[in-house]
Amino acid sequence: MELHNGNLYWPTTESEDIVLERPMKRERYDVLVIGSGMSGVLTAYTLHQDGVDVAVVDKGKVGAGSTAANTGLIQYSNDIMLHELADQIGEADAVRFYRLCAEAVDALDDVAATVGANDVYLRRDSLCFASCDEDVTKLKREYEMLTRHGFFAEWLDRDALKARFPFEKPAALVTKGDAEVNPLTLSRQVVRHLSKAGVPFFEETEVTDVVPDGDGWLVMTPQPHEMFYANHIIFATGYGASPLLDPHRIELNRSYAIATNPLPHFDDWDGQALIWETKRPYLYVRTTVDGRIIAGGLDEEKPETPHSEALIRKRAERIKQEVETLFPMYELTVEYAWAALFGESIDQLPFIGEHPDRPHLYYLLGYGGNGTVYSMLGSRLLSDLVRGIDNDDTRIVRLDRTRQSDTVRP
């Protein structure tokens, strides 16, 4: 399955590829993380910080999957608004989940500083505008719930918005505590940090099966001499296959993104806030450290990336035109355009936790528009689980939060 097609921007920001020496395989590991994308490396980072013996395997090279196509908006707000999530799972759990996401953004800030990536992890406000008059009520309800529970939120009516941005919309909501990141640089810096600390990475090592082995697991690969034994396994496989889980509650769709030419300034863009909107699918827009605009949207319910360069360019031109309606003073050209798969769960929450029927087998599947935030959040939950620490927050994102037969393969 191809995770992305087109001309990616983030790889051009890396001056050199990361080169890892093949480590010597040990007889057994405490935790084996399968997947070296953002979710896998953040999980390995948190486990290592907590003193857990961990190794990472990946069928390809580190950071070669969805991480390179990630547009790098780091927001605690979710594709499902807080008041909508409260209607779905109850207000207390919805607020707790949002707090976990906000804490994850702060934790990512700490990770970036620790691994030497704080120059590509910049804190930003977020601006969510009402796409039409009919959405003002929904956005107002979100503002009221956020402020009631102590999240900073600022309400902008049409005039207040127009005074701070060069576009006119019915209303908007400003929140604080978000960030923008170069996801490829961050993930590679985490890998370099862990590798120097002695955490082994086994690249180009495909996992073909996992088999119970006493209290742990035997991990099979195509090479018989490269089997791994581990007390715990964590699947952090992104949008790839997740063994022993039924995928029918997960929807794979595709989205499009662009990176523009560098611009001389963003004087008309208040605080270079992350911008998104209430309609679905939504347009999202951010800036980069080298003065570009990254924007995306035009989601399509198709579980494969397009091979047509002409189609990708056509979608890219539409995204550029939408950005130009917001910022007509910028002279934009599309220098990079790509399409990528993204996954969504039917309830808009990630799947994080232990398999309900298979002890010591865990998953971190951060489906949704906040995948990097979910990865950081999930790494903390999973570290507690593998160390035998009770964490009540795991029930919000547990694998069997609906009928087990709907989620887990028997």
Side-chain angles (χ1 to χ4, degrees):
M1 179 174 60
E2 292 180 312
L3 298 175
H4 49 74
N5 273 314
N7 187 17
L8 298 176
Y9 166 63
W10 297 122
T12 70
T13 66
E14 289 285 289
S15 59
E16 59 183 23
D17 289 334
I18 186 168
V19 178
L20 300 174
E21 292 186 7
R22 187 76 175 181
M24 293 291 293
K25 185 172 68 70
R26 295 218 318 266
E27 181 177 347
R28 196 176 192 95
Y29 297 95
D30 191 7
V31 180
L32 192 68
V33 176
I34 300 175
S36 67
M38 187 67 79
S39 57
V41 301
L42 288 176
T43 298
Y45 175 90
T46 300
L47 290 168
H48 177 72
Q49 291 288 99
D50 290 340
V52 178
D53 171 46
V54 59
V56 182
V57 300
D58 195 290
K59 67 179 180 180
K61 292 287 188 179
V62 295
S66 296
T67 300
N70 185 329
T71 47
L73 282 78
I74 307 297
Q75 297 172 296
Y76 75 82
S77 295
N78 292 257
D79 286 353
I80 181 170
M81 290 186 171
L82 177 58
H83 73 271
E84 296 170 328
L85 186 60
D87 292 341
Q88 178 176 291
I89 66 173
E91 189 163 330
D93 281 351
V95 170
R96 179 57 185 160
F97 182 71
Y98 259 56
R99 292 201 192 286
L100 289 172
C101 290
E103 292 169 4
V105 178
D106 291 337
L108 283 165
D109 199 341
D110 292 338
V111 172
T114 300
V115 304
N118 52 333
D119 57 333
V120 298
Y121 188 90
L122 305 178
R123 299 308 289 257
R124 300 291 191 201
D125 294 348
S126 283
L127 176 87
C128 180
F129 63 77
S131 305
C132 59
D133 290 332
E134 289 75 17
D135 286 351
V136 173
T137 300
K138 177 172 69 173
L139 196 61
K140 189 71 170 181
R141 185 181 175 195
E142 183 70 359
Y143 164 74
E144 292 169 349
M145 179 163 283
L146 285 170
T147 55
R148 185 167 71 249
H149 289 286
F151 297 97
F152 176 90
E154 181 183 4
W155 180 258
L156 302 181
D157 61 18
R158 186 183 298 271
D159 291 338
L161 175 61
K162 193 174 181 179
R164 290 167 57 175
F165 289 87
F167 51 85
E168 186 172 348
K169 298 294 178 181
L173 181 63
V174 175
T175 55
K176 291 188 177 294
D178 293 334
E180 66 183 34
V181 69
N182 178 329
L184 186 59
T185 296
L186 176 61
S187 66
R188 286 185 172 184
Q189 285 297 97
V190 173
V191 171
R192 292 183 178 103
H193 174 83
L194 292 176
S195 182
K196 289 179 181 178
V199 174
F201 284 80
F202 294 88
E203 298 180 293
E204 298 180 319
T205 303
E206 182 179 6
V207 173
T208 57
D209 200 4
V210 292
V211 180
D213 176 61
D215 292 334
W217 290 87
L218 170 63
V219 178
M220 312 291 289
T221 77
Q223 292 75 36
H225 64 282
E226 283 225 327
M227 295 185 296
F228 295 83
Y229 293 89
N231 297 327
H232 308 270
I233 295 177
I234 297 175
F235 282 102
T237 46
Y239 305 138
S242 299
L244 306 180
L245 284 186
D246 189 335
H248 80 273
R249 292 188 67 250
I250 300 164
E251 298 176 353
L252 285 180
N253 301 311
R254 70 190 187 197
S255 187
Y256 298 87
I258 65 169
T260 71
N261 54 302
L263 299 174
H265 63 81
F266 294 109
D267 293 345
D268 302 289
W269 190 327
D270 188 25
Q272 293 173 236
L274 312 178
I275 298 175
W276 57 314
E277 61 180 324
T278 53
K279 78 175 182 180
R280 298 293 185 268
Y282 55 85
L283 173 75
Y284 54 90
V285 190
R286 56 158 289 193
T287 59
T288 67
V289 293
D290 62 344
R292 301 176 190 271
I293 292 176
I294 287 182
L298 304 182
D299 301 351
E300 297 173 341
E301 294 181 355
K302 296 182 179 181
E304 68 280 329
T305 56
H307 289 90
S308 169
E309 182 178 341
L311 176 60
I312 294 175
R313 297 300 300 185
K314 183 178 180 180
R315 297 291 188 270
E317 184 61 27
R318 283 182 55 189
I319 292 172
K320 180 177 81 77
Q321 290 171 359
E322 291 198 40
V323 176
E324 288 173 334
T325 64
L326 299 177
F327 298 99
M329 71 292 299
Y330 298 152
E331 294 184 8
L332 302 180
T333 59
V334 176
E335 294 196 354
Y336 301 89
W338 65 95
L341 290 183
F342 70 97
E344 293 181 301
S345 65
I346 62 173
D347 62 1
Q348 303 295 312
L349 294 177
F351 286 109
I352 303 168
E354 187 174 20
H355 194 293
D357 298 325
R358 301 174 186 271
H360 312 303
L361 187 63
Y362 308 86
Y363 299 82
L364 199 174
L365 305 175
Y367 299 120
N370 294 49
T372 302
V373 173
Y374 293 163
S375 296
M376 191 72 249
L377 183 163
S379 74
R380 170 51 52 204
L381 298 182
L382 292 178
S383 180
D384 283 352
L385 287 176
V386 300
R387 291 183 296 140
I389 299 173
D390 290 334
N391 189 324
D392 184 60
D393 295 325
T394 59
R395 62 185 174 75
I396 300 174
V397 292
R398 67 188 188 276
L399 305 182
D400 59 346
R401 59 182 178 261
T402 57
R403 290 184 299 115
Q404 183 173 318
S405 60
D406 283 346
T407 307
V408 182
R409 192 181 75 198

